[in-house]
Amino acid sequence: MKITVKLFAGFRNDRFKVDDLEFPENATVADVLGALKINEPELGVAMINGRHVAKDQVLKGGETLSLFPKVGGG
Amino acid sequence: MNKIYRVNMKDLTCKIEEVPAAWAGLGGRGLTSTIVAAEVPPTCHPLGPNNKLVFAPGLLAGTAASQSGRMSAGAKSPLTGTIKESNAGGTSAQSFAKLGIKAMIIEGQPAEGKLYELHVNNDGVTFHDASALKGKQNFDVVDAMNAKYSPKIGVVTIGVPGEERMKAANISVKDPDQKLRSHGRGGLGAVMGSKGVKVITIDDSAGSKVEIADPEKFRAAAKVFAKAMLDHPVTGEGLPIYGTTVLINIINEAGGLPTKNFRYGTCEHHDKVSGETLHDVIAGRGGSTKHGCHPGCIIQCSQVYVDENKEYITSGFEYETIWGLGINCMIEDLDDCARIDNAMDNIGIDSIEGAVILGTAMEAGMIPWGDGKECLRVMNEEIGKATPFGRILGNGTKSVGDAYGLTRVAVVKGQAIPAYDPRTIKGIGVTYAMSTMGADHTAGYAIATNILQVGGHVDPLKKDGQVELSRNLCIATAAVDSTGMCIFVAFPALDIAECLPSLIDMINARYGINLSGDDVTELGKTIMKTEKAFNDAAGFSKADDRLPEFFEYEPLPPHNLVWDFTGEELDEFWNF
Ligand code: SF4
């Protein structure tokens, strides 16, 4: 299944800003992190279609998954 | 810090007073709000003789504690009519601490039209005619004072909007690089102008090091605290690399980035003005991506933005300003945004209020959407020169909305709503509504928990848990604002167990006292209640603790949510 993955801040280094990637059925957010070689503790926020999700969230295909490292401001 | 400087602008005198026992344990916002509540009649005109302008460094100012050099300014606000505290970086807090000045209270008013320079040193304050500075903007004032004294002189100044008592005027403070930081919000520059004070110069050369009651304990705690700053990914890595503007993309993804004057929650050109882009532009041009607003900042969220020829354009270019110009006004060119930011620093307009003013003037059809060049002209030539049109704008977002008959006017208690839409980030909406100072994101930064998942997670799209979240953050912030720490210490404090205790240990070691964590929470509560009592006496009621009505009937795409808290739900905020 196809997932549109958007990366932000330091996650973009040596990777990409946005890309359509193929994953097996029932892949989770953690599986996407693994495929991108991002250590799980580095993840700050994961969102699917603008809503926060947990790392064990199962993907259905066709979603946009946005991944952020731990960032902040104010 | 054992002296109060009481400056009377009517008879041009300065009395040096002892610190009353009740004020001894207070600093920063805790002290400015206590003094304003005790001495300013709540119903007074904010620009009249009975208002007072109070400056107070935080409890840890002048020590080696990192992040401790913020200065608080307080008064009754001409913009909101409420009590106000606004804190800033720069060098003034550390100078005051060296001189032993716990607070400076400016009261009274001089004969009409007179302008003064107040020169502050170890002996008190002297008064100098400043008519030659009339009509000068901030950078010229800084240059004039550097020439008169030396580049080491501390400078606190207002531009023409402050002189002309416009409600969006800020007070600017010189930073270590001869540039400016601001007591931005609430129009305190107008209060300074109404006192006839154009500039305050501070000579701390006869000052001394602040005394520490228990130096060993202090050193140990300061080390733990600094380690927490460096270990936390947000303060140790995210803020220094990308600055606060890293939020553009994450708030956009969350659908809460107010776009085209609060019409939409996402913006197509968001990446043109994002923190990632800002970082690449600055690094590519050879500017500096890291910069501290005061000596002793180890986080360094600020930066120096330069043009293609490496010429300085601006510094302290924050998320809220870039949002306001780049997204809310649709100005896609980051250089244009940077030039407008610098113009706001120069003339002395709060950069959040200023950006929302421009967006509201666009809503009114007075400036084309996205026209950065025209915005720059309006800042310099209209607001900066106090033309009739400039005065409508310089008096704030609400003033523009009133003048042009608009309903989509994003203010609470007269102060502009910043860069997070309350319809989709509901926790921050509670803070905007309930803050004692009008819409202010820093009063209780629910973005941390709603969006960034720092200190847990409360779903931003739902009402559940938001009032409690906002209340707890507001109480904690009131206490932190009294230490003189910059607000970003909250990120490690929410996640790293040793951080807050080490902050309290530093205060205890500095003063030889024994505060507990509960005492600090109580301090936060007391400060908030003191501020609310002032506002109530000034005529505010529950009906003022509400967001503008348009948030209730205009759903915000893409989540298509409205603001749906009832009054009763919001009023629970004060149940503590
Ligand atoms: S982190 Fe930013 S706001 Fe805080 S003290 Fe440093 S430069 Fe100033």
Side-chain angles (χ1 to χ4, degrees):
Chain A
M1 62 184 182
K2 193 191 82 176
I3 305 291
T4 302
V5 179
K6 285 189 183 175
L7 299 179
F8 296 92
F11 283 176
R12 288 181 177 178
N13 298 342
D14 301 323
R15 295 194 189 90
F16 53 85
K17 268 192 195 178
V18 51
D19 205 355
D20 290 336
L21 301 177
E22 276 298 325
F23 288 94
E25 294 298 313
N26 294 325
T28 63
V29 172
D31 294 333
V32 176
L33 292 173
L36 295 171
K37 299 197 168 49
I38 294 172
N39 292 327
E40 282 188 30
E42 285 175 39
L43 179 72
V45 171
M47 284 187 226
I48 292 178
N49 299 339
R51 289 171 188 267
H52 288 72
V53 292
K55 274 180 251 184
D56 57 8
Q57 174 75 36
V58 179
L59 301 164
K60 292 199 290 267
E63 302 100 320
T64 299
L65 173 65
S66 306
L67 299 172
F68 298 84
K70 291 179 173 154
V71 293
Chain B
M1 294 195 282
N2 52 8
K3 297 183 281 191
I4 305 280
Y5 281 14
R6 189 177 291 276
V7 175
N8 187 317
M9 293 307 298
K10 183 159 193 260
D11 52 16
L12 303 183
T13 55
C14 170
K15 278 196 229 134
I16 301 182
E17 299 173 355
E18 280 183 18
V19 177
W23 297 357
L26 300 171
R29 171 176 165 191
L31 188 53
T32 61
S33 286
T34 300
I35 295 175
V36 172
E39 299 193 0
V40 174
T43 52
C44 78
H45 194 295
L47 303 176
N50 292 322
N51 199 5
K52 300 189 183 190
L53 178 62
V54 183
F55 290 95
L59 285 171
L60 290 169
T63 70
S66 66
Q67 316 310 126
S68 66
R70 307 273 303 180
M71 175 73 113
S72 287
K76 175 171 175 171
S77 160
L79 186 71
T80 63
T82 65
I83 199 165
K84 173 62 65 177
E85 183 265 0
S86 173
N87 62 70
T91 58
S92 61
Q94 283 153 337
S95 294
F96 267 43
K98 273 197 197 164
L99 293 168
I101 307 170
K102 193 165 174 74
M104 182 162 92
I105 305 169
I106 303 176
E107 50 194 38
Q109 239 163 11
E112 200 131 333
K114 288 263 189 189
L115 267 187
Y116 292 92
E117 172 208 341
L118 307 186
H119 185 66
V120 178
N121 62 22
N122 214 21
D123 305 320
V125 174
T126 49
F127 300 78
H128 306 263
D129 175 41
S131 39
L133 296 174
K134 191 169 168 53
K136 292 229 184 307
Q137 308 292 16
N138 286 323
F139 287 121
D140 283 345
V141 176
V142 168
D143 287 347
M145 294 302 104
N146 286 350
K148 179 173 177 184
Y149 301 98
S150 89
K152 282 198 187 136
I153 194 79
V155 181
V156 179
T157 164
I158 55 171
V160 171
E163 273 179 43
E164 296 296 328
R165 301 167 309 285
M166 292 185 214
K167 294 179 185 181
N170 66 18
I171 297 175
S172 298
V173 188
K174 198 169 85 169
D175 77 6
D177 298 324
Q178 309 291 340
K179 302 300 183 199
L180 298 169
R181 307 294 302 197
S182 325
H183 297 281
R185 309 226 66 192
L188 296 181
V191 180
M192 187 154 145
S194 77
K195 302 284 175 211
V197 179
K198 174 70 180 174
V199 59
I200 302 167
T201 49
I202 310 164
D203 173 6
D204 66 7
S205 56
S208 46
K209 267 176 80 175
V210 305
E211 272 171 43
I212 308 279
D214 185 343
E216 209 157 302
K217 183 174 164 189
F218 188 92
R219 258 197 304 279
K223 223 171 131 184
V224 175
F225 184 76
K227 187 171 180 306
M229 296 300 122
L230 295 175
D231 282 353
H232 195 274
V234 171
T235 43
E237 218 179 291
L239 282 170
I241 296 178
Y242 297 106
T244 56
T245 312
V246 75
L247 290 172
I248 291 272
N249 281 341
I250 194 165
I251 304 297
N252 184 69
E253 286 305 306
L257 189 70
T259 302
K260 206 171 181 187
N261 195 32
F262 292 81
R263 279 179 174 73
Y264 317 108
T266 55
C267 175
E268 231 161 75
H269 66 260
H270 63 96
D271 215 19
K272 290 192 180 168
V273 297
S274 69
E276 288 89 338
T277 302
L278 179 70
H279 172 271
D280 292 348
V281 169
I282 294 176
R285 290 176 179 179
S288 93
T289 52
K290 280 197 212 181
H291 178 255
C293 69
H294 71 268
C297 164
I298 58 175
I299 303 175
Q300 307 219 310
C301 77
S302 184
Q303 66 307 96
V304 179
Y305 188 91
V306 295
D307 69 10
E308 271 153 359
N309 303 315
K310 279 199 186 190
E311 291 291 324
Y312 177 92
I313 300 184
T314 197
S315 54
F317 196 22
E318 304 291 342
Y319 165 64
E320 280 73 20
T321 312
I322 294 178
W323 155 77
L325 299 171
I327 305 288
N328 207 40
C329 292
M330 311 288 284
I331 301 169
E332 297 184 21
D333 183 339
L334 209 42
D335 286 359
D336 281 350
C337 295
R339 291 202 167 85
I340 300 164
D341 181 60
N342 185 249
M344 291 194 282
D345 278 357
N346 189 34
I347 69 174
I349 284 281
D350 173 28
S351 65
I352 296 179
E353 194 71 39
V356 182
I357 285 168
L358 292 171
T360 311
M362 289 174 177
E363 178 91 32
M366 299 306 291
I367 301 175
W369 288 105
D371 191 341
K373 308 281 184 290
E374 175 62 5
C375 286
L376 185 61
R377 189 197 69 79
V378 166
M379 272 301 151
N380 286 325
E381 304 301 321
E382 304 281 356
I383 304 178
K385 295 202 168 138
T387 64
F389 178 55
R391 284 177 185 274
I392 290 173
L393 272 60
N395 272 317
T397 304
K398 180 171 184 297
S399 157
V400 180
D402 288 347
Y404 292 96
L406 307 177
T407 52
R408 199 183 288 110
V409 182
V411 298
V412 180
K413 301 185 181 77
Q415 181 166 284
I417 294 180
Y420 316 88
D421 201 291
R423 286 163 286 191
T424 36
I425 314 179
K426 295 193 185 285
I428 202 72
V430 176
T431 297
Y432 294 154
M434 307 312 290
S435 151
T436 49
M437 312 208 177
D440 176 0
H441 61 293
T442 66
Y445 193 60
I447 304 305
T449 316
N450 276 177
I451 300 291
L452 306 170
Q453 301 190 309
V454 172
H457 183 60
V458 174
D459 187 344
L461 303 172
K462 301 207 176 94
K463 292 199 285 182
D464 310 72
Q466 306 291 7
V467 171
E468 193 187 353
L469 171 70
S470 169
R471 179 202 296 133
N472 290 339
L473 288 168
C474 285
I475 291 169
T477 305
V480 170
D481 281 346
S482 304
T483 63
M485 291 283 166
C486 108
I487 189 75
F488 297 133
V489 309
F491 289 109
L494 285 165
D495 277 343
I496 298 178
E498 306 84 60
C499 181
L500 209 51
S502 67
L503 175 55
I504 298 168
D505 281 349
M506 287 194 288
I507 298 172
N508 286 338
R510 159 78 171 88
Y511 293 97
I513 53 176
N514 227 331
L515 288 178
S516 68
D518 287 347
D519 295 336
V520 173
T521 308
E522 281 311 308
L523 173 68
K525 289 182 182 171
T526 308
I527 294 168
M528 283 182 57
K529 287 186 172 164
T530 302
E531 292 168 347
K532 179 161 192 297
F534 181 94
N535 292 348
D536 288 350
F540 284 83
S541 72
K542 288 176 179 171
D544 297 295
D545 290 345
R546 304 292 181 257
L547 296 189
E549 191 192 14
F550 79 90
F551 288 120
E552 293 172 16
Y553 59 72
E554 284 190 4
L556 185 76
H559 294 295
N560 295 315
L561 294 174
V562 292
W563 176 250
D564 51 358
F565 278 90
T566 66
E568 293 75 49
E569 286 166 341
L570 288 173
D571 294 337
E572 269 303 298
F573 177 95
W574 283 106
N575 193 2
F576 64 86

